[in-house]
Amino acid sequence: MLLDIHNLNSGLEDGKQILNDLNIQIDQGEIHALMGPNGAGKSSLGNTIMGNPVYKITGGKIFFKGNDVTEESADKRAKLGMFMSFQSPIEVPGISLESFIRAAIQQRTGEHVKLFQFQKELQRCMEILDMNPDYAKRDLNVGFSGGERKKSEILQLLMLKPDFAILDETDSGLDVDAVRTVAKGIEEYRKLTNGSLLIISHTTKLLEGLNVDKTHVIVKGHIVKTGDGKLFKEINEKGFEEYTA
């Protein structure tokens, strides 16, 4: 088992409890979807798994690759092979997209990144995502459209090749063509690695193009139902009403 979340309780630093006795197990190579209405705790779970210090774990355990990472910092989790793409990626003036990714790879592996091989792979991945190569030299996300920011996150996923990735509302605000491109990037990630994915969403746009193994429904910080990959299609038809009543 790659990720084992056991009776997880988490909240904000101000004491507000968000996640309650939450359990999820993700095996190597699986795609899991996490769905729920707005404010259900989807992004909070992603941030708690990743070690965002804004969220305080008050109970339970998070095991990754058999290691207890409950108290580990976000950078240590990243070095172990965790990755998270954000719903609203921020601008980082002063560092190019290319330099950021290269530095991230060096931090994770602890090894020097050979420039020629890196740039060749970067160009290949940008072509997959239909990204203008000029974006590699631009400051990270500065002046990027919403769609280009999301592609930038998937580009990082392809280059870093983590063992486990959390995609938080990656399809939010994207048109149909951009969603297809992101799905193509995810499929490429799956070809490059045997990595696992937790895809957080309240829609099914991105999920429909992927082979989802399990779907979890979260409401008010609880997992209220877990099913196979077909469950998200049922939610698409009926919504969350039966789970929130």
Side-chain angles (χ1 to χ4, degrees), residues 3 5 22 24 26 30-35 42 45-47 49 83-85 163-170 189 195-201 207 214-216 223:
L3 180 73
I5 300 172
L22 191 145
I24 291 181
I26 300 178
E30 289 186 336
I31 296 180
H32 287 225
L34 179 68
M35 304 190 71
K42 301 186 298 295
L45 175 58
N47 279 283
I49 295 172
F83 172 91
M84 183 171 180
S85 75
D163 299 300
F164 172 66
I166 304 165
L167 306 185
D168 187 8
E169 304 281 4
T170 302
Y189 161 73
S196 302
L197 290 158
L198 178 64
I199 300 176
I200 299 171
S201 182
L207 300 175
K214 290 185 180 179
T215 304
H216 309 277
I223 298 294

PDB file of all heavy atoms in Angstrom, residues 3 5 22 24 26 30-35 42 45-47 49 83-85 163-170 189 195-201 207 214-216 223:
ATOM      1  N   LEU A   3      -0.284   4.690   0.192  1.00  0.00           N
ATOM      2  CA  LEU A   3      -0.757   5.702   1.137  1.00  0.00           C
ATOM      3  C   LEU A   3      -1.839   5.100   2.018  1.00  0.00           C
ATOM      4  O   LEU A   3      -2.808   4.521   1.519  1.00  0.00           O
ATOM      5  CB  LEU A   3      -1.319   6.915   0.387  1.00  0.00           C
ATOM      6  CG  LEU A   3      -1.842   8.057   1.273  1.00  0.00           C
ATOM      7  CD1 LEU A   3      -0.676   8.815   1.919  1.00  0.00           C
ATOM      8  CD2 LEU A   3      -2.703   9.021   0.452  1.00  0.00           C
ATOM      9  N   ILE A   5      -4.210   6.346   5.158  1.00  0.00           N
ATOM     10  CA  ILE A   5      -4.681   7.396   6.064  1.00  0.00           C
ATOM     11  C   ILE A   5      -5.641   6.749   7.048  1.00  0.00           C
ATOM     12  O   ILE A   5      -6.676   6.191   6.659  1.00  0.00           O
ATOM     13  CB  ILE A   5      -5.390   8.521   5.281  1.00  0.00           C
ATOM     14  CG1 ILE A   5      -4.417   9.146   4.280  1.00  0.00           C
ATOM     15  CG2 ILE A   5      -5.950   9.569   6.215  1.00  0.00           C
ATOM     16  CD1 ILE A   5      -5.057  10.126   3.333  1.00  0.00           C
ATOM     17  N   LEU A  22     -11.166  10.227   9.282  1.00  0.00           N
ATOM     18  CA  LEU A  22     -11.172   9.947   7.847  1.00  0.00           C
ATOM     19  C   LEU A  22     -10.183   8.842   7.516  1.00  0.00           C
ATOM     20  O   LEU A  22      -9.051   8.844   7.993  1.00  0.00           O
ATOM     21  CB  LEU A  22     -10.829  11.231   7.093  1.00  0.00           C
ATOM     22  CG  LEU A  22     -11.024  11.255   5.591  1.00  0.00           C
ATOM     23  CD1 LEU A  22     -11.471  12.647   5.146  1.00  0.00           C
ATOM     24  CD2 LEU A  22      -9.724  10.890   4.884  1.00  0.00           C
ATOM     25  N   ILE A  24      -8.574   6.519   4.200  1.00  0.00           N
ATOM     26  CA  ILE A  24      -8.403   6.245   2.775  1.00  0.00           C
ATOM     27  C   ILE A  24      -7.138   5.408   2.604  1.00  0.00           C
ATOM     28  O   ILE A  24      -6.120   5.679   3.243  1.00  0.00           O
ATOM     29  CB  ILE A  24      -8.273   7.536   1.938  1.00  0.00           C
ATOM     30  CG1 ILE A  24      -9.585   8.307   1.901  1.00  0.00           C
ATOM     31  CG2 ILE A  24      -7.843   7.215   0.508  1.00  0.00           C
ATOM     32  CD1 ILE A  24      -9.516   9.590   1.074  1.00  0.00           C
ATOM     33  N   ILE A  26      -4.687   3.933  -0.572  1.00  0.00           N
ATOM     34  CA  ILE A  26      -4.401   3.995  -2.008  1.00  0.00           C
ATOM     35  C   ILE A  26      -3.205   3.096  -2.314  1.00  0.00           C
ATOM     36  O   ILE A  26      -2.131   3.269  -1.745  1.00  0.00           O
ATOM     37  CB  ILE A  26      -4.105   5.445  -2.451  1.00  0.00           C
ATOM     38  CG1 ILE A  26      -5.320   6.344  -2.166  1.00  0.00           C
ATOM     39  CG2 ILE A  26      -3.746   5.483  -3.947  1.00  0.00           C
ATOM     40  CD1 ILE A  26      -5.109   7.801  -2.530  1.00  0.00           C
ATOM     41  N   GLU A  30      -2.756   3.260  -8.518  1.00  0.00           N
ATOM     42  CA  GLU A  30      -4.196   3.511  -8.572  1.00  0.00           C
ATOM     43  C   GLU A  30      -4.519   4.988  -8.788  1.00  0.00           C
ATOM     44  O   GLU A  30      -3.759   5.871  -8.386  1.00  0.00           O
ATOM     45  CB  GLU A  30      -4.877   3.041  -7.291  1.00  0.00           C
ATOM     46  CG  GLU A  30      -4.943   1.538  -7.133  1.00  0.00           C
ATOM     47  CD  GLU A  30      -5.763   1.112  -5.921  1.00  0.00           C
ATOM     48  OE1 GLU A  30      -5.908   1.908  -4.962  1.00  0.00           O
ATOM     49  OE2 GLU A  30      -6.253  -0.029  -5.927  1.00  0.00           O
ATOM     50  N   ILE A  31      -5.687   5.223  -9.402  1.00  0.00           N
ATOM     51  CA  ILE A  31      -6.250   6.567  -9.493  1.00  0.00           C
ATOM     52  C   ILE A  31      -7.503   6.612  -8.631  1.00  0.00           C
ATOM     53  O   ILE A  31      -8.436   5.819  -8.823  1.00  0.00           O
ATOM     54  CB  ILE A  31      -6.617   6.942 -10.944  1.00  0.00           C
ATOM     55  CG1 ILE A  31      -5.388   7.008 -11.835  1.00  0.00           C
ATOM     56  CG2 ILE A  31      -7.334   8.294 -10.972  1.00  0.00           C
ATOM     57  CD1 ILE A  31      -5.687   7.366 -13.281  1.00  0.00           C
ATOM     58  N   HIS A  32      -7.515   7.518  -7.668  1.00  0.00           N
ATOM     59  CA  HIS A  32      -8.677   7.713  -6.811  1.00  0.00           C
ATOM     60  C   HIS A  32      -9.239   9.114  -7.055  1.00  0.00           C
ATOM     61  O   HIS A  32      -8.486  10.070  -7.228  1.00  0.00           O
ATOM     62  CB  HIS A  32      -8.310   7.574  -5.337  1.00  0.00           C
ATOM     63  CG  HIS A  32      -8.050   6.172  -4.908  1.00  0.00           C
ATOM     64  ND1 HIS A  32      -8.557   5.641  -3.736  1.00  0.00           N
ATOM     65  CD2 HIS A  32      -7.342   5.164  -5.493  1.00  0.00           C
ATOM     66  CE1 HIS A  32      -8.166   4.375  -3.621  1.00  0.00           C
ATOM     67  NE2 HIS A  32      -7.417   4.076  -4.676  1.00  0.00           N
ATOM     68  N   ALA A  33     -10.557   9.203  -7.073  1.00  0.00           N
ATOM     69  CA  ALA A  33     -11.232  10.497  -7.178  1.00  0.00           C
ATOM     70  C   ALA A  33     -11.826  10.846  -5.822  1.00  0.00           C
ATOM     71  O   ALA A  33     -12.409   9.987  -5.146  1.00  0.00           O
ATOM     72  CB  ALA A  33     -12.334  10.432  -8.227  1.00  0.00           C
ATOM     73  N   LEU A  34     -11.674  12.100  -5.427  1.00  0.00           N
ATOM     74  CA  LEU A  34     -12.275  12.605  -4.192  1.00  0.00           C
ATOM     75  C   LEU A  34     -13.260  13.698  -4.571  1.00  0.00           C
ATOM     76  O   LEU A  34     -12.870  14.739  -5.101  1.00  0.00           O
ATOM     77  CB  LEU A  34     -11.203  13.155  -3.244  1.00  0.00           C
ATOM     78  CG  LEU A  34     -11.718  13.732  -1.923  1.00  0.00           C
ATOM     79  CD1 LEU A  34     -12.280  12.611  -1.039  1.00  0.00           C
ATOM     80  CD2 LEU A  34     -10.615  14.482  -1.183  1.00  0.00           C
ATOM     81  N   MET A  35     -14.536  13.450  -4.309  1.00  0.00           N
ATOM     82  CA  MET A  35     -15.573  14.379  -4.720  1.00  0.00           C
ATOM     83  C   MET A  35     -16.430  14.789  -3.522  1.00  0.00           C
ATOM     84  O   MET A  35     -16.500  14.084  -2.518  1.00  0.00           O
ATOM     85  CB  MET A  35     -16.458  13.753  -5.804  1.00  0.00           C
ATOM     86  CG  MET A  35     -15.701  13.280  -7.027  1.00  0.00           C
ATOM     87  SD  MET A  35     -16.787  12.821  -8.372  1.00  0.00           S
ATOM     88  CE  MET A  35     -17.394  14.444  -8.871  1.00  0.00           C
ATOM     89  N   LYS A  42     -12.424  18.759   0.819  1.00  0.00           N
ATOM     90  CA  LYS A  42     -11.589  18.121  -0.211  1.00  0.00           C
ATOM     91  C   LYS A  42     -10.172  18.693  -0.229  1.00  0.00           C
ATOM     92  O   LYS A  42      -9.190  17.965  -0.113  1.00  0.00           O
ATOM     93  CB  LYS A  42     -12.242  18.293  -1.590  1.00  0.00           C
ATOM     94  CG  LYS A  42     -13.635  17.697  -1.718  1.00  0.00           C
ATOM     95  CD  LYS A  42     -14.175  17.775  -3.138  1.00  0.00           C
ATOM     96  CE  LYS A  42     -14.329  19.199  -3.662  1.00  0.00           C
ATOM     97  NZ  LYS A  42     -15.336  19.977  -2.912  1.00  0.00           N
ATOM     98  N   LEU A  45      -8.147  18.065   2.912  1.00  0.00           N
ATOM     99  CA  LEU A  45      -7.523  16.743   2.977  1.00  0.00           C
ATOM    100  C   LEU A  45      -6.229  16.727   2.168  1.00  0.00           C
ATOM    101  O   LEU A  45      -5.199  16.239   2.646  1.00  0.00           O
ATOM    102  CB  LEU A  45      -8.479  15.674   2.451  1.00  0.00           C
ATOM    103  CG  LEU A  45      -7.896  14.262   2.361  1.00  0.00           C
ATOM    104  CD1 LEU A  45      -7.394  13.781   3.718  1.00  0.00           C
ATOM    105  CD2 LEU A  45      -8.930  13.285   1.788  1.00  0.00           C
ATOM    106  N   GLY A  46      -6.268  17.278   0.960  1.00  0.00           N
ATOM    107  CA  GLY A  46      -5.062  17.319   0.144  1.00  0.00           C
ATOM    108  C   GLY A  46      -3.931  18.050   0.833  1.00  0.00           C
ATOM    109  O   GLY A  46      -2.790  17.581   0.861  1.00  0.00           O
ATOM    110  N   ASN A  47      -4.238  19.197   1.408  1.00  0.00           N
ATOM    111  CA  ASN A  47      -3.217  19.981   2.099  1.00  0.00           C
ATOM    112  C   ASN A  47      -2.711  19.286   3.357  1.00  0.00           C
ATOM    113  O   ASN A  47      -1.521  19.383   3.687  1.00  0.00           O
ATOM    114  CB  ASN A  47      -3.780  21.361   2.456  1.00  0.00           C
ATOM    115  CG  ASN A  47      -3.746  22.330   1.296  1.00  0.00           C
ATOM    116  OD1 ASN A  47      -2.707  22.869   0.952  1.00  0.00           O
ATOM    117  ND2 ASN A  47      -4.891  22.549   0.666  1.00  0.00           N
ATOM    118  N   ILE A  49      -2.568  15.968   3.813  1.00  0.00           N
ATOM    119  CA  ILE A  49      -1.703  14.879   3.352  1.00  0.00           C
ATOM    120  C   ILE A  49      -0.320  15.410   2.983  1.00  0.00           C
ATOM    121  O   ILE A  49       0.707  14.807   3.290  1.00  0.00           O
ATOM    122  CB  ILE A  49      -2.329  14.156   2.139  1.00  0.00           C
ATOM    123  CG1 ILE A  49      -3.621  13.448   2.540  1.00  0.00           C
ATOM    124  CG2 ILE A  49      -1.339  13.144   1.548  1.00  0.00           C
ATOM    125  CD1 ILE A  49      -4.392  12.886   1.359  1.00  0.00           C
ATOM    126  N   PHE A  83       3.535  14.861  -4.241  1.00  0.00           N
ATOM    127  CA  PHE A  83       3.415  16.052  -5.076  1.00  0.00           C
ATOM    128  C   PHE A  83       1.981  16.544  -4.983  1.00  0.00           C
ATOM    129  O   PHE A  83       1.044  15.752  -4.879  1.00  0.00           O
ATOM    130  CB  PHE A  83       3.755  15.698  -6.529  1.00  0.00           C
ATOM    131  CG  PHE A  83       3.486  16.796  -7.531  1.00  0.00           C
ATOM    132  CD1 PHE A  83       4.471  17.711  -7.860  1.00  0.00           C
ATOM    133  CD2 PHE A  83       2.248  16.899  -8.156  1.00  0.00           C
ATOM    134  CE1 PHE A  83       4.226  18.717  -8.795  1.00  0.00           C
ATOM    135  CE2 PHE A  83       1.998  17.892  -9.095  1.00  0.00           C
ATOM    136  CZ  PHE A  83       2.988  18.806  -9.410  1.00  0.00           C
ATOM    137  N   MET A  84       1.807  17.872  -5.039  1.00  0.00           N
ATOM    138  CA  MET A  84       0.458  18.425  -5.063  1.00  0.00           C
ATOM    139  C   MET A  84       0.388  19.581  -6.039  1.00  0.00           C
ATOM    140  O   MET A  84       1.228  20.485  -6.019  1.00  0.00           O
ATOM    141  CB  MET A  84       0.039  18.915  -3.665  1.00  0.00           C
ATOM    142  CG  MET A  84      -1.393  19.437  -3.617  1.00  0.00           C
ATOM    143  SD  MET A  84      -1.947  19.771  -1.920  1.00  0.00           S
ATOM    144  CE  MET A  84      -3.617  20.351  -2.224  1.00  0.00           C
ATOM    145  N   SER A  85      -0.591  19.530  -6.944  1.00  0.00           N
ATOM    146  CA  SER A  85      -0.864  20.664  -7.815  1.00  0.00           C
ATOM    147  C   SER A  85      -2.009  21.457  -7.214  1.00  0.00           C
ATOM    148  O   SER A  85      -2.960  20.876  -6.668  1.00  0.00           O
ATOM    149  CB  SER A  85      -1.229  20.192  -9.229  1.00  0.00           C
ATOM    150  OG  SER A  85      -2.532  19.671  -9.259  1.00  0.00           O
ATOM    151  N   ASP A 163       5.907   9.625  -6.841  1.00  0.00           N
ATOM    152  CA  ASP A 163       5.222   8.339  -6.651  1.00  0.00           C
ATOM    153  C   ASP A 163       3.735   8.540  -6.390  1.00  0.00           C
ATOM    154  O   ASP A 163       2.929   7.652  -6.679  1.00  0.00           O
ATOM    155  CB  ASP A 163       5.846   7.585  -5.471  1.00  0.00           C
ATOM    156  CG  ASP A 163       7.315   7.283  -5.702  1.00  0.00           C
ATOM    157  OD1 ASP A 163       7.617   6.588  -6.689  1.00  0.00           O
ATOM    158  OD2 ASP A 163       8.148   7.740  -4.906  1.00  0.00           O
ATOM    159  N   PHE A 164       3.394   9.697  -5.840  1.00  0.00           N
ATOM    160  CA  PHE A 164       2.000   9.979  -5.489  1.00  0.00           C
ATOM    161  C   PHE A 164       1.718  11.449  -5.730  1.00  0.00           C
ATOM    162  O   PHE A 164       2.484  12.309  -5.299  1.00  0.00           O
ATOM    163  CB  PHE A 164       1.733   9.632  -4.016  1.00  0.00           C
ATOM    164  CG  PHE A 164       0.390  10.070  -3.521  1.00  0.00           C
ATOM    165  CD1 PHE A 164      -0.767   9.491  -4.027  1.00  0.00           C
ATOM    166  CD2 PHE A 164       0.280  11.043  -2.540  1.00  0.00           C
ATOM    167  CE1 PHE A 164      -2.020   9.900  -3.569  1.00  0.00           C
ATOM    168  CE2 PHE A 164      -0.960  11.447  -2.075  1.00  0.00           C
ATOM    169  CZ  PHE A 164      -2.114  10.871  -2.595  1.00  0.00           C
ATOM    170  N   ALA A 165       0.625  11.729  -6.446  1.00  0.00           N
ATOM    171  CA  ALA A 165       0.284  13.114  -6.759  1.00  0.00           C
ATOM    172  C   ALA A 165      -1.154  13.420  -6.374  1.00  0.00           C
ATOM    173  O   ALA A 165      -2.065  12.622  -6.613  1.00  0.00           O
ATOM    174  CB  ALA A 165       0.480  13.380  -8.252  1.00  0.00           C
ATOM    175  N   ILE A 166      -1.338  14.583  -5.771  1.00  0.00           N
ATOM    176  CA  ILE A 166      -2.663  15.117  -5.443  1.00  0.00           C
ATOM    177  C   ILE A 166      -2.944  16.240  -6.433  1.00  0.00           C
ATOM    178  O   ILE A 166      -2.171  17.194  -6.519  1.00  0.00           O
ATOM    179  CB  ILE A 166      -2.700  15.669  -4.009  1.00  0.00           C
ATOM    180  CG1 ILE A 166      -2.278  14.602  -2.995  1.00  0.00           C
ATOM    181  CG2 ILE A 166      -4.094  16.210  -3.673  1.00  0.00           C
ATOM    182  CD1 ILE A 166      -1.935  15.169  -1.620  1.00  0.00           C
ATOM    183  N   LEU A 167      -4.019  16.120  -7.185  1.00  0.00           N
ATOM    184  CA  LEU A 167      -4.403  17.157  -8.136  1.00  0.00           C
ATOM    185  C   LEU A 167      -5.653  17.837  -7.613  1.00  0.00           C
ATOM    186  O   LEU A 167      -6.739  17.250  -7.612  1.00  0.00           O
ATOM    187  CB  LEU A 167      -4.648  16.558  -9.529  1.00  0.00           C
ATOM    188  CG  LEU A 167      -3.522  15.714 -10.128  1.00  0.00           C
ATOM    189  CD1 LEU A 167      -3.877  15.296 -11.549  1.00  0.00           C
ATOM    190  CD2 LEU A 167      -2.193  16.456 -10.103  1.00  0.00           C
ATOM    191  N   ASP A 168      -5.502  19.073  -7.164  1.00  0.00           N
ATOM    192  CA  ASP A 168      -6.599  19.790  -6.518  1.00  0.00           C
ATOM    193  C   ASP A 168      -7.329  20.673  -7.519  1.00  0.00           C
ATOM    194  O   ASP A 168      -6.827  21.731  -7.903  1.00  0.00           O
ATOM    195  CB  ASP A 168      -6.049  20.627  -5.355  1.00  0.00           C
ATOM    196  CG  ASP A 168      -7.154  21.275  -4.528  1.00  0.00           C
ATOM    197  OD1 ASP A 168      -8.340  20.956  -4.760  1.00  0.00           O
ATOM    198  OD2 ASP A 168      -6.834  22.098  -3.658  1.00  0.00           O
ATOM    199  N   GLU A 169      -8.512  20.243  -7.934  1.00  0.00           N
ATOM    200  CA  GLU A 169      -9.373  21.017  -8.841  1.00  0.00           C
ATOM    201  C   GLU A 169      -8.593  21.445 -10.102  1.00  0.00           C
ATOM    202  O   GLU A 169      -8.724  22.577 -10.566  1.00  0.00           O
ATOM    203  CB  GLU A 169      -9.929  22.249  -8.133  1.00  0.00           C
ATOM    204  CG  GLU A 169     -10.701  21.958  -6.846  1.00  0.00           C
ATOM    205  CD  GLU A 169     -12.118  21.475  -7.081  1.00  0.00           C
ATOM    206  OE1 GLU A 169     -12.492  21.293  -8.261  1.00  0.00           O
ATOM    207  OE2 GLU A 169     -12.842  21.274  -6.100  1.00  0.00           O
ATOM    208  N   THR A 170      -7.809  20.534 -10.645  1.00  0.00           N
ATOM    209  CA  THR A 170      -7.001  20.858 -11.818  1.00  0.00           C
ATOM    210  C   THR A 170      -7.856  21.249 -13.013  1.00  0.00           C
ATOM    211  O   THR A 170      -7.428  22.021 -13.875  1.00  0.00           O
ATOM    212  CB  THR A 170      -6.103  19.662 -12.186  1.00  0.00           C
ATOM    213  OG1 THR A 170      -5.272  19.354 -11.064  1.00  0.00           O
ATOM    214  CG2 THR A 170      -5.210  19.979 -13.365  1.00  0.00           C
ATOM    215  N   TYR A 189       2.050  10.817 -17.543  1.00  0.00           N
ATOM    216  CA  TYR A 189       2.635  10.568 -16.217  1.00  0.00           C
ATOM    217  C   TYR A 189       2.499   9.101 -15.839  1.00  0.00           C
ATOM    218  O   TYR A 189       3.427   8.494 -15.299  1.00  0.00           O
ATOM    219  CB  TYR A 189       1.950  11.462 -15.182  1.00  0.00           C
ATOM    220  CG  TYR A 189       2.114  11.000 -13.754  1.00  0.00           C
ATOM    221  CD1 TYR A 189       3.331  11.132 -13.092  1.00  0.00           C
ATOM    222  CD2 TYR A 189       1.047  10.432 -13.051  1.00  0.00           C
ATOM    223  CE1 TYR A 189       3.494  10.707 -11.780  1.00  0.00           C
ATOM    224  CE2 TYR A 189       1.190  10.015 -11.749  1.00  0.00           C
ATOM    225  CZ  TYR A 189       2.406  10.147 -11.110  1.00  0.00           C
ATOM    226  OH  TYR A 189       2.558   9.718  -9.808  1.00  0.00           O
ATOM    227  N   GLY A 195       3.016   5.586 -10.691  1.00  0.00           N
ATOM    228  CA  GLY A 195       2.552   6.441  -9.615  1.00  0.00           C
ATOM    229  C   GLY A 195       1.053   6.394  -9.416  1.00  0.00           C
ATOM    230  O   GLY A 195       0.289   5.958 -10.278  1.00  0.00           O
ATOM    231  N   SER A 196       0.630   6.878  -8.251  1.00  0.00           N
ATOM    232  CA  SER A 196      -0.786   6.929  -7.886  1.00  0.00           C
ATOM    233  C   SER A 196      -1.255   8.370  -7.864  1.00  0.00           C
ATOM    234  O   SER A 196      -0.464   9.298  -7.669  1.00  0.00           O
ATOM    235  CB  SER A 196      -0.997   6.291  -6.510  1.00  0.00           C
ATOM    236  OG  SER A 196      -0.549   4.959  -6.498  1.00  0.00           O
ATOM    237  N   LEU A 197      -2.564   8.535  -8.046  1.00  0.00           N
ATOM    238  CA  LEU A 197      -3.155   9.872  -8.089  1.00  0.00           C
ATOM    239  C   LEU A 197      -4.381   9.959  -7.188  1.00  0.00           C
ATOM    240  O   LEU A 197      -5.186   9.022  -7.132  1.00  0.00           O
ATOM    241  CB  LEU A 197      -3.590  10.217  -9.519  1.00  0.00           C
ATOM    242  CG  LEU A 197      -2.495  10.458 -10.557  1.00  0.00           C
ATOM    243  CD1 LEU A 197      -3.049  10.245 -11.954  1.00  0.00           C
ATOM    244  CD2 LEU A 197      -1.944  11.871 -10.418  1.00  0.00           C
ATOM    245  N   LEU A 198      -4.502  11.078  -6.499  1.00  0.00           N
ATOM    246  CA  LEU A 198      -5.738  11.447  -5.818  1.00  0.00           C
ATOM    247  C   LEU A 198      -6.231  12.718  -6.495  1.00  0.00           C
ATOM    248  O   LEU A 198      -5.621  13.781  -6.355  1.00  0.00           O
ATOM    249  CB  LEU A 198      -5.513  11.690  -4.325  1.00  0.00           C
ATOM    250  CG  LEU A 198      -6.761  12.133  -3.535  1.00  0.00           C
ATOM    251  CD1 LEU A 198      -7.831  11.042  -3.541  1.00  0.00           C
ATOM    252  CD2 LEU A 198      -6.396  12.500  -2.093  1.00  0.00           C
ATOM    253  N   ILE A 199      -7.310  12.601  -7.255  1.00  0.00           N
ATOM    254  CA  ILE A 199      -7.824  13.735  -8.022  1.00  0.00           C
ATOM    255  C   ILE A 199      -9.016  14.326  -7.304  1.00  0.00           C
ATOM    256  O   ILE A 199     -10.054  13.668  -7.144  1.00  0.00           O
ATOM    257  CB  ILE A 199      -8.211  13.290  -9.452  1.00  0.00           C
ATOM    258  CG1 ILE A 199      -6.981  12.717 -10.166  1.00  0.00           C
ATOM    259  CG2 ILE A 199      -8.787  14.468 -10.235  1.00  0.00           C
ATOM    260  CD1 ILE A 199      -7.267  12.168 -11.544  1.00  0.00           C
ATOM    261  N   ILE A 200      -8.850  15.555  -6.842  1.00  0.00           N
ATOM    262  CA  ILE A 200      -9.891  16.255  -6.096  1.00  0.00           C
ATOM    263  C   ILE A 200     -10.724  17.077  -7.063  1.00  0.00           C
ATOM    264  O   ILE A 200     -10.188  17.867  -7.841  1.00  0.00           O
ATOM    265  CB  ILE A 200      -9.260  17.176  -5.028  1.00  0.00           C
ATOM    266  CG1 ILE A 200      -8.444  16.344  -4.031  1.00  0.00           C
ATOM    267  CG2 ILE A 200     -10.326  17.984  -4.309  1.00  0.00           C
ATOM    268  CD1 ILE A 200      -7.613  17.189  -3.083  1.00  0.00           C
ATOM    269  N   SER A 201     -12.036  16.884  -7.019  1.00  0.00           N
ATOM    270  CA  SER A 201     -12.889  17.602  -7.959  1.00  0.00           C
ATOM    271  C   SER A 201     -14.328  17.622  -7.456  1.00  0.00           C
ATOM    272  O   SER A 201     -14.730  16.763  -6.669  1.00  0.00           O
ATOM    273  CB  SER A 201     -12.836  16.939  -9.334  1.00  0.00           C
ATOM    274  OG  SER A 201     -13.621  17.645 -10.266  1.00  0.00           O
ATOM    275  N   LEU A 207     -12.305  13.518 -14.916  1.00  0.00           N
ATOM    276  CA  LEU A 207     -12.387  12.110 -14.551  1.00  0.00           C
ATOM    277  C   LEU A 207     -12.878  11.240 -15.689  1.00  0.00           C
ATOM    278  O   LEU A 207     -12.497  10.076 -15.813  1.00  0.00           O
ATOM    279  CB  LEU A 207     -13.314  11.940 -13.341  1.00  0.00           C
ATOM    280  CG  LEU A 207     -12.908  12.688 -12.067  1.00  0.00           C
ATOM    281  CD1 LEU A 207     -13.986  12.524 -11.002  1.00  0.00           C
ATOM    282  CD2 LEU A 207     -11.565  12.199 -11.549  1.00  0.00           C
ATOM    283  N   LYS A 214     -11.125   4.061  -7.830  1.00  0.00           N
ATOM    284  CA  LYS A 214     -12.067   4.239  -6.727  1.00  0.00           C
ATOM    285  C   LYS A 214     -12.500   5.702  -6.626  1.00  0.00           C
ATOM    286  O   LYS A 214     -11.729   6.609  -6.962  1.00  0.00           O
ATOM    287  CB  LYS A 214     -11.451   3.802  -5.392  1.00  0.00           C
ATOM    288  CG  LYS A 214     -11.236   2.302  -5.264  1.00  0.00           C
ATOM    289  CD  LYS A 214     -10.731   1.940  -3.878  1.00  0.00           C
ATOM    290  CE  LYS A 214     -10.524   0.431  -3.761  1.00  0.00           C
ATOM    291  NZ  LYS A 214     -10.002   0.046  -2.417  1.00  0.00           N
ATOM    292  N   THR A 215     -13.720   5.897  -6.165  1.00  0.00           N
ATOM    293  CA  THR A 215     -14.259   7.233  -5.950  1.00  0.00           C
ATOM    294  C   THR A 215     -14.689   7.358  -4.492  1.00  0.00           C
ATOM    295  O   THR A 215     -15.387   6.476  -3.972  1.00  0.00           O
ATOM    296  CB  THR A 215     -15.466   7.511  -6.861  1.00  0.00           C
ATOM    297  OG1 THR A 215     -15.090   7.321  -8.224  1.00  0.00           O
ATOM    298  CG2 THR A 215     -15.980   8.928  -6.675  1.00  0.00           C
ATOM    299  N   HIS A 216     -14.278   8.446  -3.839  1.00  0.00           N
ATOM    300  CA  HIS A 216     -14.669   8.716  -2.459  1.00  0.00           C
ATOM    301  C   HIS A 216     -15.526   9.977  -2.438  1.00  0.00           C
ATOM    302  O   HIS A 216     -15.205  10.957  -3.114  1.00  0.00           O
ATOM    303  CB  HIS A 216     -13.438   8.936  -1.579  1.00  0.00           C
ATOM    304  CG  HIS A 216     -12.395   7.867  -1.702  1.00  0.00           C
ATOM    305  ND1 HIS A 216     -12.458   6.675  -1.013  1.00  0.00           N
ATOM    306  CD2 HIS A 216     -11.258   7.809  -2.458  1.00  0.00           C
ATOM    307  CE1 HIS A 216     -11.406   5.933  -1.319  1.00  0.00           C
ATOM    308  NE2 HIS A 216     -10.667   6.602  -2.196  1.00  0.00           N
ATOM    309  N   ILE A 223     -15.729  10.807   5.014  1.00  0.00           N
ATOM    310  CA  ILE A 223     -15.939  10.010   3.810  1.00  0.00           C
ATOM    311  C   ILE A 223     -17.260   9.267   4.022  1.00  0.00           C
ATOM    312  O   ILE A 223     -17.353   8.371   4.866  1.00  0.00           O
ATOM    313  CB  ILE A 223     -14.795   9.011   3.567  1.00  0.00           C
ATOM    314  CG1 ILE A 223     -13.469   9.746   3.361  1.00  0.00           C
ATOM    315  CG2 ILE A 223     -15.107   8.119   2.363  1.00  0.00           C
ATOM    316  CD1 ILE A 223     -13.397  10.580   2.104  1.00  0.00           C
TER     317      ILE A 223
END
